[in-house]
Amino acid sequence: DVKVTQSSRYLVKRTGEKVFLECVQDMDHENMFWYRQDPGLGLRLIYFSYDVKMKEKGDIPEGYSVSREKKERFSLILESASTNQTSMYLCASSSEGDTQYFGPGTRLTVL
Amino acid sequence: EDKVVQSPLSLVVHEGDTVTLNCSYEVTNFRSLLWYKQEKKAPTFLFMLTSSGIEKKSGRLSSILDKKELFSILNITATQTGDSAVYLCAVGEQAGTALIFGKGTTLSVSS
């Protein structure tokens, strides 16, 4: 079974803090993705990576950066957290096909 | 504009009812359409459709794709309270890695 894990299920941070969200997959997938999910807006792609050290902006990259130093790990970084980044963050991975496997999500609250 | 549109946005039915969820899409080079179920956690994969007219079936759930009319339906027969969830539709494009998600349909099944 594919397993995608995220470092935290719930996280509370203060405005201006630097926030790291980590995602690890154990199936040697090439592709990894970060989404945020908000009521009424659905899943929106922030960044994705198709190989180590490679990254592509998604639909809403502003205020975020990513890092992929190892194939199994994809990190999302909020350089200076703001209240409008309060959201559910979902990581996913996939191999050559389109089926993406999701982690359990991190619910981030920025106060 | 939205490339993947799901309808209805929400639906309330009684146990035993049959429901049909809709997903229409507009992408340049279609490759696949996927359905996911999301309860209060990560989305879980249901089906991937690539060819028109071929029904995919899993228990009480089934789905079919119409590439001419650019839509897919997800049917759930004899609904149960455990079917209550958000159902997500996503489309993959040729030469693309990321999926395009619709906003989801929230299904509530009452006993």
Side-chain angles (χ1 to χ4, degrees), chain B residues 54-69:
Chain B
I54 298 174
E55 185 182 53
K56 293 270 181 105
K57 200 168 168 62
S58 176
R60 295 175 294 102
L61 277 67
S62 64
S63 183
I64 198 161
L65 173 69
D66 186 329
K67 289 168 74 173
K68 184 179 176 186
E69 300 297 329

Side-chain angles (χ1 to χ4, degrees), chain A residues 24-82:
Chain A
V24 178
Q25 50 94 3
D26 67 357
M27 285 303 291
D28 203 36
H29 284 171
E30 295 81 14
N31 308 312
M32 296 187 76
F33 308 83
W34 274 107
Y35 296 90
R36 64 178 282 177
Q37 187 174 32
D38 302 286
L41 297 176
L43 274 164
R44 293 181 292 166
L45 181 66
I46 304 171
Y47 268 97
F48 68 96
S49 168
Y50 52 90
D51 202 350
V52 175
K53 296 192 187 294
M54 305 305 287
K55 60 186 178 185
E56 291 276 349
K57 292 180 180 178
D59 298 319
I60 50 163
E62 297 79 18
Y64 304 94
S65 62
V66 290
S67 172
R68 193 161 180 207
E69 296 297 319
K70 293 185 178 181
K71 191 174 186 179
E72 67 270 19
R73 189 179 298 268
F74 192 35
S75 302
L76 180 69
I77 303 150
L78 287 65
E79 295 289 343
S80 177
S82 63

